Structures are given as C-alpha cells and as structure tokens.
Amino acid sequence: MNQSAIARSWVEHANGHSDFPLQNLPLGIFSRGSDERRCGVAIGDAILDLDAVLAAGLFDGQARNAVQATRGGALNAYFALGREARVALRERLLELLGADSPHQAALKPALYPAAECQLHLPARIGDYTDFYVGIEHAKNVGKLFRPDNPLLPNYKYVPIGYHGRASTIRPSGTDVRRPNGQTLPAGQTEPSFGPCARLDYELELGIWIGQGNAMGDAIPVAQAGEHVAGYCLLNDWSARDIQAWEYQPLGPFLSKSFISTVSPWVVTAEALEPFRCAQPARPEGDPQPLAYLLDPRDQAGGAFDIELEVLLLTERMREQNLPAHRLTLSNTLSMYWTVAQMVAHHSVNGCQLQPGDLFGSGTLSGAKPGQFGSLLEITEGGKVPIELASGEVRRFLEDGDEIILRARCKRDGVASIGFGECRGKILPAH
Amino acid sequence: MNQSAIARSWVEHANGHSDFPLQNLPLGIFSRGSDERRCGVAIGDAILDLDAVLAAGLFDGQARNAVQATRGGALNAYFALGREARVALRERLLELLGADSPHQAALKPALYPAAECQLHLPARIGDYTDFYVGIEHAKNVGKLFRPDNPLLPNYKYVPIGYHGRASTIRPSGTDVRRPNGQTLPAGQTEPSFGPCARLDYELELGIWIGQGNAMGDAIPVAQAGEHVAGYCLLNDWSARDIQAWEYQPLGPFLSKSFISTVSPWVVTAEALEPFRCAQPARPEGDPQPLAYLLDPRDQAGGAFDIELEVLLLTERMREQNLPAHRLTLSNTLSMYWTVAQMVAHHSVNGCQLQPGDLFGSGTLSGAKPGQFGSLLEITEGGKVPIELASGEVRRFLEDGDEIILRARCKRDGVASIGFGECRGKILPAH
C-alpha cells in the first residue's frame, strides 16, 4: 500500500502532516469561550463537536450510545463502556469525516478551529499510578547511586509502580509554579527551605483506564487490553532536590505532587493498532515474567513503536525567535513491561481500577545520549550542562523555560499519527 | 465540674457509656434497607436522619445551609463549607437533642436504631495520603532493618508521607480479601506468586480534609486547622511479604492497595476540643521544626489525647464465645507531628487539597510492649508468636480473623466520647 491508498478526510488539513488525520480520531473535552465543556474529536487543525453532531441526528445505535456517554464534561462514563462502543463510534466517525461523506454540509457548523478552543482534562481522575517501566531510565538513575549495580533485584520481576497525586494533574498549557520545599544542601546535615533548585521534566506515556474491576477481582493479563480506554503524553514534573531529601523510606511525595501535565487528546487502541509490535526480546539471562504477567498475544503484539520527543524553549529563545531545542528523542520500545502487564500487576492483589484512572509509564529514556527522558540523566545530576543556541546553559529548568512533549507514530504505507502537544512553562516560586 | 454537670440528651442511651453522647454528634452517611443514602448524626445507639429533620422544618440559617450541603449521599459539599457552618449545625443539634429539647416528638420519627442501618463511606475520596508520624512505630520498624540507627536522617525534619490508593477505601464491616502477590521467600533469589502469608493491620488516625486550596497556594500551618473537617479511625491493612519485595525504590504499592478500612463517623474538631493538648516536648537534641511547620498555638494545643485500641477475634474465639484479645492500647500522643503540620507540609509545594481527601496518620504505636500498632512490631516480624486464650497462636493474621479498632477520649469532668468501631474480617485469597 502506498500513501495514495490511505483514506482521506474532507477536512483538508487532516490530510497533511497533522497529528490528527482521519486514522487517529482522538476524543477530548473542550470549550469555546464561556460555553459548557463538551466532547470533541480532533481532525486536522479542527475540533468536531460531538454534542452538535448528536443534536443533528447523525449518530444511531451503539455510536449514539457512545456519544451520549461522552456528555457532561468528562469521558468517564464513555470510558466505562469499553471497546465495542468505542469501535462503533470510530467507525461512524470514519464515515462522517471521510472524503466521501455525504454529511459535509451538516457537519461544517459543528467544526471549530482548534486554535479557538480551550482543551480540558478528558476525565475526572480517580487514582493516578506512576510506573517505572522505562528500563533505561531506571538504569541511568540507578547508576547515579549504584554505579556497579544500577537495577534493584526486583526490577525484572515486578512492574514497579507507586501511587501519585490525582488532584494536581492538569492539561497541556497549564503553567507550572516552581515548588517550595525542604532540601538538604550538599555538605550540610540540616535541611533548608526554599524554592526547588533542581526542577526537571519526565517524559512518559499516559494510559487512561476504561472498564474497571470489582475490588478483590484481578484482571488477567490476557484481558487487560479491554480495560484501557486510550493513551496520552504525560510530563511528570520532578523537584530533584526535594525528592532526594524526602523519598526515604516511602517514595516520592511533594517532589512530584505540585503538578503533572497530560496531553488532552485520548488516542485510542484502534488508532495505535498499526504501531503495535512484539515486546522486545528480554536480554540473555533476564528471567521470564511470572505466569500472571505472561500472555502469548501480549508478548507477540503488546508493545508500541511510538517516537517520543521533548523540546525546550527558554525565555531568551522565544525573544530571539530561535527554534526549540530538542532534549530527547526516545521511543516506547524502551518499556520493559507492556501496558497489559501493568494492568494485570496493578489489579493482581484485588486493587480496584476505575474508568478515568490514569497510569504513567515512568520515564521513557533510550540507552544512548540524546535519548534520555529527563535532565537528571542528560546532565548527570547537574554535572554536565547543556549548551543552547541562545548562548544559555541549563543544568535544570529555569523560570520561563517551557517544556514541550510530542509523540509520533510512523510506518510505511500507513497514515502517521501524533498525540498533540503536552506543554508547560515554569513560573517563579511564590 | 463533676459528671452530673455534663449536659444530657433525651435519647437515653446517649447518657451511658456510649461512644456517641450529646457532646460528640459525628456525621455519617447511612441507608436503611434499599432507601437512598443520606446523612445522619450518631446519638447513643441511634441515628438521627438529617434529611427528615430538614423536611420537618427544624433547621434554619447557617445550620439549614449546612444540612442542605450534606445531601446527595456524600459529605464533600458539607466539608467544603468549613468551620462556621459545622459549628452552626452542631449548636442546633445540641438544642434539638439536648434533654430540654421541645422537639422530641417531632424528632422521634427521624431517629432509627443504628443496628438497623447500613453505614457507608462519608465522602467521595479524591486523594488519600498516608503519613508516617507515629515516631515509635517508625523506630520499631526501623530497628528491624537498622538496629543501631532506626530513624532515617529526614524523619525529625519532614512529616514523611506518601500517596495511597483511594479507590479501595471501605467503611467498617467490609470483608478483607487476602491479597495475592509476588514475594521473595527467605533464602531464595527468585520470587514466588501466591496468597500473602504475612497479613497485618495498622492502627491509624484518619483525617478528613475540609476546605481545599488552589493549586500553587500553600496552606500556612496557623490556618491548617480550618482545612480539617473531622477525624476517624483507619486500618491500613498491610501485606508485609509483598511489601518487603516490592517497595524499593518507590515505596509501598500493592502491599497496601487491596483495601483500607475507615470508621464511618466523622468526629469533629469541636467534639475533640476538650481532648486537645500541647504537642509533647521534643526530646533533648531533637531539631526544632522548620519555620513553615511552626505555629505557637499549634505547639500549645495542636496534639490530641485519644486512647486507641486494637482487638483480635478469631474464628475459634467466636465459636467458643471468648472475648476479643486486645493487641494494642496506644494513644495519639505518639504523633511526632500535629495534623496542622501534616496539612501545612502537604500543601507547601502547592499541592491542591480538596474536600473529602483523606489523610492517615501512620501507625500509632507506643514505645512499650502492649502499645504496638501492628503485628510486625508485636511479633518482631513473625519471630515471637502471640498466644491466645483459644489455644491458638498468631504471628500474622489468619483467614477468619477479625480486627477491631476503637478510640476513646477521657478527661475528668467532661463527657467521654468515642469514634465507633473500624472492623474487618479476613477472607481466604481467591
């Protein structure tokens, strides 16, 4: 199949290099001016208002049920419906937005320029769990503390994760207030209090949970995919100096809970299907996963080939009209555990997952320079500064710096899709 | 003042040794049969239905506003109103339920035997944070790993806490399914999978958050009390074998998230006022808290003198009609940090707290045998079994065991109040 065989939309912008061609169709929650929040689908540089399309009578059956569940300003009820409803809606949207659609005239009034809309969180987040499945990140960080033995003994058996703070997850574009906190300055034995001096980003894949489980019932790994509603980008902003002082013995807390940022569009499993691939073979000598984490279909096609990118734009770079500096070019293939394994592990003790819960993958770094997903790794804990075209250097983030995460899926003969941006700019501490 | 000067209720049972005399008046969410969930106040062995009292026209002004905010099956909106509304409602309830109330006849139809009612979670829990402020527990657990140096260097500076799982918090009486999980058997280098073999309880004070803060705005320690809606008991059930294998480097996860149990009544700051006391003096050589954690009024009266008790009832003890075995008799005076310090610390980085968030204090052990708040401490990690009157021994909890937490406040000349029970019985693993 060549590019010309790829289905096109009558929304012309979707046929270019947009993150949102006809093959993507991610849902999100948006508003215009002071209008109520409602559900839209991203298509090229526009947003199709599903409420308006519903009112125009262009949905029926399962697709209509799905759209009705998207109402009310959050997608939780829609996430709870599961795969069948999601696929029905996708198929109808492919008809409505495809180049041959007979409904163009009826749909145009429901199509708004994305630039005129405000994007919100797609769901009310019940619980947020941050995993640590990026093995190269775990190695890079482990090396800073244990050069000879970077990975702890449990890493290759346990999809390590911890509970994060749900109340401070915000959509792309929300400013990031530099946190205050306790830190232990080098060489001191007593802590100081003040603004974080080692503010960092973390590049992660976000996973939105769909159908939940009852407390006490584990989700088998073979069924875990049915419990995932979609994917986004996640910046797990981190205050490294606060983290170093607070995190023993119970893990990161205030060093992470000041804000986490997500990209607002929920990219579906169906859109990502062409970019599925086998889980990379475990290196010689690595143990097999325990049985509750092992499913042949998941091993054969449970990983993703998604290119991930992080850009930095400083105040001075904006003033000088310089292009953003690429900090990271990485890939989801660095995940040591699949999303299905994360779901199965999380629920194996009977923990209840609910529609609208969010998982973070953990930082997705590659093994080589240029692929590291945090400044902690890039600058070796602040020792090796980055030089920017503006003449500035960075060890950690400064006030006014903006971090932009992007993701892109590419495969020959298939429409390339993206995730939209996940941005945040640092404001000075209070 | 002697006992006879203590105000009495026309609900006779409230004047005996009830946890719920006229001076307590905790709110909770209850239902009868298949009726809708609604708000009630505990008085003696009865529950007063506030919806019914509202319908009878017996509230006005601030108290009426407060009761209206308790509707809908969760107290979040009521918690958000803050202290003034809570006090107005309390004052009106003191009139209505006091011995001289002219409204007894009107209220009696709204008063149900508590034994006929089902108690639910009092609020939708947004985020749950578990602290670690019980210093004797931290020492006891630390000693198991580091006999010479049980407390980590940050303990006396940082009110240590971590994010817990909100979705599996349940009210007293909910059965506890023994979790499955990965553990590393002694002497092995590869983990096994199966039912937890070291199931434990943790005795904690629970704190319900009232008014929240905007993301980015810290709550000063002097104002922190205004952000607390009330108190409960919390059993932070723990799978010690799962915890030991999983918790490095990011903290406890599946070892805690299978269930946590709370007592269903929200005991207010006003009811606990007579049992406030000065924060116990820090031992010689301990550092002063940093300025953001220090408030003279909090130092002078921010601690609580609440007696805490844990009872064990095994299947065989129930069959033999034996009384429950007391495992723990402890006190909230073992908290190294006050609740105000926990609130101030949690928000100092700008983390947003919301009405209905729940804090756990961490396990509240005393320094001496008989005062330890977990089996991990009592049996020294399973080494020293407990002998029971039934002829059984326990190192950790067995299927069929029931754990009951209780709390009691006592002071001469003041009505003694309690918290009601926080119970849970262990079911076999799936």
Side-chain angles (χ1 to χ4, degrees), chain A residues 133-156:
Chain A
V133 309
I135 190 168
E136 300 302 336
H137 171 73
K139 283 188 204 166
N140 292 337
V141 172
K143 266 180 215 162
L144 297 176
F145 301 100
R146 298 172 301 275
D148 298 330
N149 195 18
L151 287 182
L152 291 168
N154 58 11
Y155 190 86
K156 291 179 175 173

Side-chain angles (χ1 to χ4, degrees), chain A residues 165 167 182 254 349 352 357, chain B residues 157 165 167 254 352 357:
Chain A
R165 182 82 192 174
S167 72
Q182 287 192 36
L254 301 189
N349 69 341
Q352 183 177 28
D357 286 348
Chain B
Y157 295 97
R165 183 80 191 174
S167 72
L254 301 189
Q352 183 178 27
D357 284 350

Side-chain angles (χ1 to χ4, degrees), chain B residues 308-327:
Chain B
L308 306 167
E309 188 182 25
V310 183
L311 302 167
L312 166 65
L313 203 53
T314 71
E315 193 76 57
R316 198 188 295 175
M317 290 163 78
R318 283 192 297 272
E319 285 164 12
Q320 297 179 354
N321 275 320
L322 290 169
H325 177 94
R326 183 192 276 169
L327 292 169

